[in-house]
Each structure stands twice: as C-alpha cells, then as structure tokens.
Amino acid sequence: RQQGRTAGRFRRHALDVAVLVEGPSKSAPRHSGSSDLPQLTGRTLCDRIVVFPGNERLVGQTVSVAIHDASPVTLMGQVVTAEYAGSAS
C-alpha cells in the first residue's frame, strides 16, 4: 500500500531530485513524446531508479530531474534545465 501512495504523490506534485546518470535505459524505449532523446537511467541518493529522456553526454554526471510519475519500482521525469525551471512561473 505504501508504494501506491508514493506513486500518487509524484503524480500530483513535481519533485526535483538529484540523479546520478548511469546510461541508456535497457528496458524503456524512446519516449513516445516529441523528444528525439534516448531514455536514460540513473539513481537517486536513496538508490531509487529514475528514467528520463536525455543526452548520453550526461552519463556519469549528477543532474536534477523533475519527477512527474512513478511506479512501485521506477520514477519517471525530465531533466531540469534553466528553460524548464523558468517555465514554471
């Protein structure tokens, strides 16, 4: 039950988390949206798996990711950029 409540919280409120980018996602194909970027995978400081579209040059870096959805095992989001952060206002 706790996992279901966690997933619901991410759906209602975007949450920015620090993610260490590990590399291309093996299980998530390219995002079906307009982005041509591959799906990357990384981990939060709490060892949660995060999947998001991004440039492979980010591998090995820690980036801020805005979480917009969650499953019991995986968080899904978008890399926070100056353009993205500015669009919130």
Side-chain angles (χ1 to χ4, degrees), residues 16-60:
D16 292 355
V17 296
V19 174
L20 174 61
V21 183
E22 295 178 333
S25 174
K26 294 178 179 81
S27 60
R30 289 182 185 264
H31 202 44
S32 59
S34 61
S35 175
D36 288 331
L37 296 171
Q39 288 288 342
L40 298 178
T41 187
R43 292 189 183 261
T44 67
L45 296 174
C46 299
D47 207 32
R48 296 284 310 264
I49 298 170
V50 182
V51 177
F52 54 93
N55 193 303
E56 292 187 35
R57 292 180 295 184
L58 296 175
V59 173

Side-chain angles (χ1 to χ4, degrees), residues 4-17:
R5 283 183 282 203
T6 300
R9 185 178 75 224
F10 288 119
R11 287 187 192 110
R12 288 190 302 273
H13 306 288
L15 174 69
D16 292 355
V17 296

